[in-house]
Amino acid sequence: MRLAAYLVDAVPRVGCADPSGKTLSALDVSPSDAARGVLPLIQAKAQGLPLPASTGETHAVADVRLLAPLPRPLRNVWCVGRNYHAHAKELSASVFKDNDANPESWPIVFTKVPECVVGPHDAVQLPAGVSEQIDYEAELAVVIGRGGKNIARADALQHVFGYTIVNDVTARDVQMRHQQWDMGKSFDTFCPMGPWIVTADELDGTLTRVRCWVNGELRQDGSTEQMIFDIPTLIETVSRGITLYPGDVIATGTPAGVGMGLSPPRYLRTGDRVRVEIDGIGSIENAFV
């Protein structure tokens, strides 16, 4: 099932996308609940409640405005840094070279504030005068369906509701300036998300392909099999001593090919378009303005 949040005549809706991704079937969700996207459905399912019934109303995806499936996540988005072998290698000669002695000992975990989330086709605002080194990071995001604390790796996938796409947009100079990464990751509009959440019964997030194009040029192409820390390990790690809740999001890291890793680095500029596609989910595409 592909669960989407969208606007029809400025009214929030939640619905199911068909397998082609071209048609949305509305679910019986009040506008006030639909303003929270798919989150109320995730929370209801965690309580053992069924998904809402269909209203019988359908819309072409081309005729609506898709929102992020979680327009305002429950809390900060959990994110993982340098989680693909090739990506860790491409940054090993950068300013990250002295960042740690062994990047494969523990996952690098940081967060992005929920207010930075925007829709799958919304514009991303370049923070003029604040940063000149804006980078893209195509990522598979895990959406937690069943909460828990100290979740064992062997049980972790049972806690997954589904998967979506995020672009972990990053101001590299700000990221380095503050050493902690949250500020450089959390500017307004720095987390495009969507186009919907694909439920875990329809997608194996441990075996899919993540790609990213900048202005039509393929920059990133990696399989989630190439992660240093797999999805169960990430869920186990983030939940160590910390309770995860239904609707929490974990962005699982990006493959090689980010702008910072190129020689010379190639950062985003006004007018650039970044498209992220993940097999089994679909794609998001955002203009940088």
Side-chain angles (χ1 to χ4, degrees):
M1 187 177 299
R2 300 178 177 199
L3 295 169
Y6 54 101
L7 294 178
V8 177
D9 297 328
V11 177
R13 304 286 188 92
V14 172
C16 296
D18 73 337
S20 73
K22 295 181 179 180
T23 303
L24 295 163
S25 298
L27 297 177
D28 189 11
V29 179
S30 70
S32 60
D33 279 344
R36 300 165 62 213
V38 182
L39 181 59
L41 279 63
I42 297 170
Q43 293 172 327
K45 187 174 186 297
Q47 297 172 17
L49 301 175
L51 289 176
S54 171
T55 65
E57 186 179 12
T58 62
H59 294 93
V61 170
D63 295 336
V64 306
R65 179 188 170 193
L66 284 176
L67 305 173
L70 299 169
R72 181 66 61 87
L74 186 67
R75 53 183 180 174
N76 282 25
V77 176
W78 297 98
C79 302
V80 181
R82 281 179 286 167
N83 195 33
Y84 285 73
H85 292 281
H87 177 55
K89 183 177 180 180
E90 76 177 342
L91 294 188
S92 63
S94 73
V95 292
F96 286 109
K97 62 181 179 293
D98 297 323
N99 196 254
D100 56 43
N102 185 1
E104 300 189 15
S105 299
W106 288 93
I108 298 169
V109 180
F110 58 94
T111 68
K112 297 170 80 82
V113 298
E115 292 81 5
C116 72
V117 172
V118 292
H121 305 297
D122 291 346
V124 176
Q125 301 165 11
L126 296 169
V130 182
S131 171
E132 299 299 326
Q133 297 181 358
I134 306 302
D135 210 347
Y136 52 88
E137 293 191 8
E139 305 199 14
L140 173 71
V142 175
V143 181
I144 297 298
R146 179 159 63 90
K149 181 177 178 180
N150 298 325
I151 299 168
R153 183 184 181 280
D155 301 327
L157 292 180
Q158 299 175 29
H159 291 258
V160 176
F161 178 84
Y163 302 92
T164 190
I165 300 170
V166 300
N167 184 349
D168 175 21
V169 182
T170 305
R172 295 296 187 192
D173 42 3
V174 177
Q175 179 185 23
M176 295 302 99
R177 182 184 307 149
H178 294 283
Q179 299 184 52
Q180 297 291 335
W181 296 1
D182 295 41
M183 289 190 67
K185 298 280 190 174
S186 292
F187 286 104
D188 293 350
T189 74
F190 267 32
C191 192
M193 177 188 289
W196 32 65
I197 296 172
V198 178
T199 52
D201 59 336
E202 291 196 6
L203 177 66
D204 181 0
T206 67
L207 182 59
T208 190
R209 183 182 184 189
V210 180
R211 287 175 288 176
C212 177
W213 291 261
V214 178
N215 301 326
E217 176 191 0
L218 182 64
R219 295 276 187 91
Q220 296 182 276
D221 188 353
S223 168
T224 55
E225 288 184 295
Q226 299 164 353
M227 288 181 179
I228 297 172
F229 302 100
D230 63 14
I231 290 170
T233 300
L234 297 180
I235 294 172
E236 179 183 62
T237 300
V238 175
S239 72
R240 286 166 63 97
I242 297 173
T243 300
L244 294 181
Y245 295 98
D248 273 340
V249 178
I250 303 174
T252 58
T254 197
V258 297
M260 185 184 205
L262 302 176
S263 183
R266 296 168 66 183
Y267 296 113
L268 297 171
R269 296 289 181 259
T270 299
D272 286 344
R273 297 191 67 88
V274 179
R275 179 169 178 259
V276 180
E277 181 175 322
I278 297 182
D279 290 356
I281 300 179
S283 65
I284 65 175
E285 183 170 339
N286 306 88
F288 283 67
V289 301

